[in-house]
Amino acid sequence: IYPTAIFFVGLLAYANSLGNGFTFDDFAVVVDNPVVAEAKLLDVFTTPYWPGMPDVGHYRPLTVFTFVANRILGGSGPSGFHLTNVALHLLNASLLFWLIGRMVRDEHGAGFGALLFLLHPVHTEAVNSVVGRAELVAAVCVLTALALYIGASEAEGRRQRILLFASVLLGFLGCLAKEQAALLVVVLIGYDLMILLRRGTRISLRRFVRFDLIRYTPYVMAVGLYFVIRSHVTGAWLLPGQPSFIDNHLAHVGLWERVFSSVDTIGRYVWMLFCPYPLSADYAYNAIPTVSSAWSLPFLASLLLVGSACLALVLSMRRKWPAEVGFGVLIVGLFLLPVSNLLFVIGTRFGE
């Protein structure tokens, strides 16, 4: 019943997006992009995501390829693009239903989690905006790669090798959709740790380095290959230059001010999962004020949230809380950290 519910409920929730037009970044990346408009398939993998703007630092050829496919199969109108986004979102919810079911062995819990993901308002921009396709395609690749990895762990011989190869390939394709998919290898490590904790197996760092680390090597090599290609096309591993003051003012403040503001960003992301209001398609300069003091309320509140998450992770590692809780906290924190501007500056201050 849940797969059927996911299809019809999701379609009903996002049916109103099918009549939408293009908006914001859709024009630069899709409508006015000569690679998409003229269906230049050979140029998809040799040009940056933002046409003629390698300094932005984005390289997402698989996402652009899906835009070209939309253009060839459905014409230049927006309806086909929006329908594809909705279909991808339904697919992600279905994959999540399967994965949660395998992890918790509870169909109702898996169904609730998948429907919550499907209908959560924070995904509105990713589904309704055509350029949100990057998140959707990357999620399909990461979730499928994880599913294949789980299948490989239960297989043997030739079937196991095929499933692992397919998983690595999907991980690489995920990077070509959006760079956050590079974190797949850490997701796999987290999944394996969750399984060990559930079984009551003693976790040894020395044994992990000597015997288990090699299992993730193909994934690391795939990510390395992606960044080599990316640097060749854009001119840098990450950002070729600083973003503008309007796009991300954290690139133009002092170190501690950026740290305080980045922790505040993480807290805002977590809070948005529980209270997704208000939502915005644009968080350019001054939409979120810079935090300049460690004693500011936003920073302290976010620090409390981050500390609570770390405590939950520690309790799970010590088997005082369910391993699934720790895995969930790890996944959320893992994907929030790179977009928080804490480790390095990215192109924007905040985004849903």
Side-chain angles (χ1 to χ4, degrees):
I1 185 174
Y2 286 108
T4 304
I6 289 171
F7 177 80
F8 285 106
V9 172
L11 193 60
L12 180 64
Y14 283 98
N16 60 348
S17 72
L18 301 180
N20 291 347
F22 295 106
T23 183
F24 289 107
D25 297 345
D26 296 345
F27 289 101
V29 177
V30 180
V31 178
D32 300 327
N33 187 345
V35 175
V36 178
E38 301 172 25
K40 297 180 178 180
L41 286 173
L42 295 180
D43 293 339
V44 166
F45 294 93
T46 59
T47 54
Y49 181 66
W50 285 79
M53 300 174 64
D55 55 303
V56 175
H58 291 165
Y59 178 66
R60 301 167 182 172
L62 181 58
T63 300
V64 177
F65 178 83
T66 67
F67 294 150
V68 174
N70 265 134
R71 177 70 175 79
I72 293 174
L73 298 175
S76 59
S79 297
F81 291 87
H82 287 298
L83 180 61
T84 303
N85 276 22
V86 173
L88 288 169
H89 188 50
L90 298 179
L91 177 57
N92 279 320
S94 300
L95 288 167
L96 196 62
F97 170 71
W98 186 88
L99 286 169
I100 296 175
R102 289 297 299 269
M103 292 179 191
V104 303
R105 303 295 180 181
D106 181 356
E107 184 182 20
H108 297 303
F112 175 79
L115 288 172
L116 179 61
F117 171 87
L118 180 71
L119 299 175
H120 200 295
V122 79
H123 296 136
T124 300
E125 183 182 352
V127 181
N128 288 322
S129 170
V130 173
V131 293
R133 177 81 57 85
E135 283 87 353
L136 300 172
V137 176
V140 168
C141 292
V142 168
L143 293 175
T144 306
L146 176 58
L148 291 169
Y149 181 82
I150 294 173
S153 67
E154 300 171 354
E156 295 180 351
R158 185 170 179 268
R159 176 178 172 79
Q160 184 183 60
R161 291 191 296 272
I162 291 174
L163 290 175
L164 283 175
F165 174 79
S167 178
V168 173
L169 178 61
L170 262 295
F172 177 67
L173 292 176
C175 292
L176 297 180
K178 192 169 185 180
E179 49 278 0
Q180 274 88 342
L183 296 171
L184 170 65
V185 63
V186 189
V187 174
L188 301 181
I189 294 173
Y191 172 79
D192 286 340
L193 286 174
M194 180 188 71
I195 297 300
L196 291 175
L197 289 170
R198 276 204 317 210
R199 292 174 179 171
T201 305
R202 181 176 177 272
I203 297 175
S204 169
L205 181 61
R206 179 180 297 180
R207 186 187 187 285
F208 173 79
V209 172
R210 290 184 61 187
F211 301 105
D212 298 331
L213 197 59
I214 192 172
R215 186 162 62 246
Y216 312 109
T217 302
Y219 295 94
V220 175
M221 294 174 63
V223 171
L225 175 61
Y226 161 74
F227 276 104
V228 168
I229 300 172
R230 172 194 172 110
S231 65
H232 177 74
V233 175
T234 66
W237 293 88
L238 297 174
L239 287 181
Q242 281 191 334
S244 69
F245 188 76
I246 293 178
D247 288 335
N248 186 2
H249 55 281
L250 293 187
H252 305 270
V253 301
L255 174 61
W256 286 111
E257 195 170 359
R258 195 187 96 206
V259 169
F260 297 150
S261 299
S262 297
V263 173
D264 171 51
T265 297
I266 295 174
R268 288 177 184 271
Y269 276 126
V270 174
W271 177 249
M272 189 168 285
L273 294 177
F274 295 97
C275 183
Y277 178 85
L279 298 176
S280 175
D282 186 12
Y283 288 92
Y285 174 67
N286 213 33
I288 300 177
T290 303
V291 179
S292 56
S293 171
W295 301 108
S296 67
L297 183 59
F299 173 77
L300 293 175
S302 298
L303 195 62
L304 179 62
L305 281 174
V306 173
S308 300
C310 292
L311 178 61
L313 186 60
V314 170
L315 291 174
S316 295
M317 291 293 294
R318 293 186 174 182
R319 296 183 172 91
K320 296 183 182 297
W321 280 16
E324 293 82 1
V325 173
F327 181 65
V329 169
L330 176 67
I331 297 303
V332 173
L334 177 67
F335 281 92
L336 288 184
L337 194 58
V339 297
S340 68
N341 288 282
L342 183 61
L343 301 179
F344 45 80
V345 174
I346 61 173
T348 185
R349 171 73 163 89
F350 194 87
E352 296 165 8

